[in-house]
Amino acid sequence: MSAQLRDLPVPLVGAPMAGGPTTDDLVVAVGEAGGLGFLATAYRSAEQIRASIDAVRERGVRRFGANLFVPDAPGAHETDPAGVARYIEALTPWAQAAGVTVPEVPSFSTAEYTTALDVVVDRRVPWVSFTFGLPGPDEVARLHEVDAAVVVTVTTVADAHAAVERGADILWVQGPAAGGHRSTFTVAQTPPEESLDHLLRAIVDSVETPVIAAGGVADGSDVAQLLGLGARAVGIGTLLLRTPEAGTSAPYRRALAAATEPGSPAHTVLTRAFSGRPARGLANRFHHELGHLAPSVFPELNTLTGPIRRAATAADDAEAITLWAGEGFAAARAVPTATVIADLWRAALDHGAAG
Ligand SMILES: Cc1cc2nc3c(=O)[nH]c(=O)nc-3n(C[C@H](O)[C@H](O)[C@H](O)COP(=O)(O)O)c2cc1C
């Protein structure tokens, strides 16, 4: 019998947050607080993923998941060489100013995904989630053989139905206010803006599969509302970014702290500037100057912008790094994960969530 959401002591799920924010400490802290934490496998080697899985287990946490980015099918991958060449030109002054070079365009590969999948199957991770597309039927079968619950992140009713048909045990329903990448099944498509409440209602009305609802959650009333609409659990990402357990970089933390100040003009935007895929984050100069030029080419753009982003992080400059954040960013507090989870759940109960 695969892992069940109804067994969670607290129906709150710590979102996988690739690129630094998710750490072993964060996954352990969410689990110890009674929730379900997810490791992020994107941009990580097999050794790193294996080490994280083993570290979380060694620290006594049995309830955790791991998230994978599903690559395009090789024949369906768009490369837009002319658009990429223009983007490299636009990136060049940024690279020069940072003292780095724009790397060669990497060739498209699905190796990271297949390697990560082998690791999570081998290590029998109890919850395995997929973003940007559906796992293959044979991959679902492999996970079910080791009793893993298969989770698929969806942004539309049609994608939810496709995921159920593919054998998903749980749907991660991501609304438009979510921080980070939107989980559209193709790179070029414009992410839907249908509200999370509306999307959730349409999905729970049409499928029996349990749902984790996420995107823009700021407080206990949001949690109570989503559970009341039929979600089995609620996912949070942005609310965890300022915790000491998260691996959020110093300039990213400062930008979030400034954004939570009363009267701050900070706001979030959907941008392709950093990776080629639409993602929500606090607006900064990199987005303003480059967002409108970025072609829909993922993950190549992520690699091309990497050295600039790393140099900006080292220079403590928030204007050229990803500042992924959902629309609830003003509620993110610099307190321990245990406090975020306990306070949020208590407030949800106060707002009538069924305990
Ligand atoms: C910094 C950051 C990184 C993220 N990375 C991932 C990821 O690796 N995989 C994934 O499925 N979702 C990722 N997401 C999206 C989350 O899974 C989730 O849908 C989102 O955080 C929920 O919205 P919220 O941030 O408003 O709570 C990321 C979100 C953030 C803020």
Side-chain angles (χ1 to χ4, degrees):
M1 191 63 188
S2 68
Q4 302 280 336
L5 285 179
R6 74 169 80 86
D7 297 338
L8 295 180
V10 174
L12 293 174
V13 184
M17 295 190 284
T22 287
T23 60
D24 303 349
D25 285 352
L26 184 62
V27 174
V28 167
V30 170
E32 286 177 344
L36 171 65
F38 269 84
L39 292 166
T41 71
Y43 322 128
R44 303 186 80 209
S45 68
E47 291 69 33
Q48 289 171 323
I49 299 166
R50 211 174 282 125
S52 283
I53 293 167
D54 294 351
V56 167
R57 281 213 170 100
E58 271 158 26
R59 291 167 67 181
V61 173
R62 296 269 164 275
R63 217 177 28 238
F64 68 98
N67 170 254
L68 283 73
F69 283 179
V70 180
D72 290 339
H77 183 65
E78 297 285 345
T79 52
D80 186 5
V84 170
R86 279 195 299 275
Y87 203 56
I88 290 173
E89 249 173 64
L91 287 173
T92 301
W94 286 78
Q96 283 166 349
V100 297
T101 47
V102 179
E104 294 289 303
V105 183
S107 47
F108 176 71
S109 161
T110 58
E112 179 187 282
Y113 170 75
T114 48
T115 305
L117 193 75
D118 286 346
V119 173
V120 298
V121 169
D122 175 64
R123 285 299 199 264
R124 294 177 165 260
V125 172
W127 274 273
V128 178
S129 77
F130 295 87
T131 294
F132 302 151
L134 298 174
D138 47 332
E139 295 164 350
V140 172
R142 280 177 73 196
L143 288 162
H144 283 163
E145 256 168 49
V146 294
D147 265 350
V150 173
V151 185
V152 177
T153 311
V154 297
T155 62
T156 67
V157 177
D159 289 352
H161 290 175
V164 171
E165 213 153 285
R166 186 51 59 88
D169 303 293
I170 296 168
L171 299 171
W172 179 291
V173 176
Q174 187 199 50
H181 285 113
R182 300 300 317 283
S183 181
T184 53
F185 283 9
T186 60
V187 178
Q189 93 192 66
T190 302
E193 288 180 8
E194 182 181 9
S195 76
L196 177 57
D197 286 3
H198 199 263
L199 180 62
L200 175 61
R201 210 177 277 130
I203 291 174
V204 297
D205 279 354
S206 56
V207 298
E208 307 264 302
T209 311
V211 165
I212 299 168
V217 168
D219 57 29
S221 72
D222 294 337
V223 174
Q225 163 92 354
L226 293 169
L227 294 175
L229 287 173
R232 199 66 69 76
V234 172
I236 55 169
T238 302
L239 288 184
L240 297 169
L241 285 171
R242 298 182 65 205
T243 64
E245 292 88 355
T248 314
S249 70
Y252 190 176
R253 279 182 194 273
R254 256 194 307 100
L256 286 164
T260 62
E261 291 291 323
S264 159
H267 61 283
T268 66
V269 287
L270 211 56
T271 186
R272 292 184 188 267
F274 296 94
S275 72
R277 258 193 177 273
R280 184 172 297 286
L282 297 175
N284 61 3
R285 199 161 70 80
F286 198 87
H287 158 71
H288 284 307
E289 295 188 10
L290 297 168
H292 62 291
L293 299 170
S296 305
V297 179
F298 177 90
E300 289 88 333
L301 252 62
N302 194 63
T303 304
L304 296 178
T305 64
I308 299 172
R309 292 184 283 115
R310 284 190 288 277
T313 303
D316 206 25
D317 173 10
E319 295 303 325
I321 60 173
T322 56
L323 298 173
W324 300 152
E327 287 178 7
F329 66 84
R333 294 183 297 152
V335 297
T337 297
T339 308
V340 172
I341 301 281
D343 288 358
L344 188 60
W345 183 229
R346 195 172 312 114
L349 292 172
D350 288 347
H351 280 89

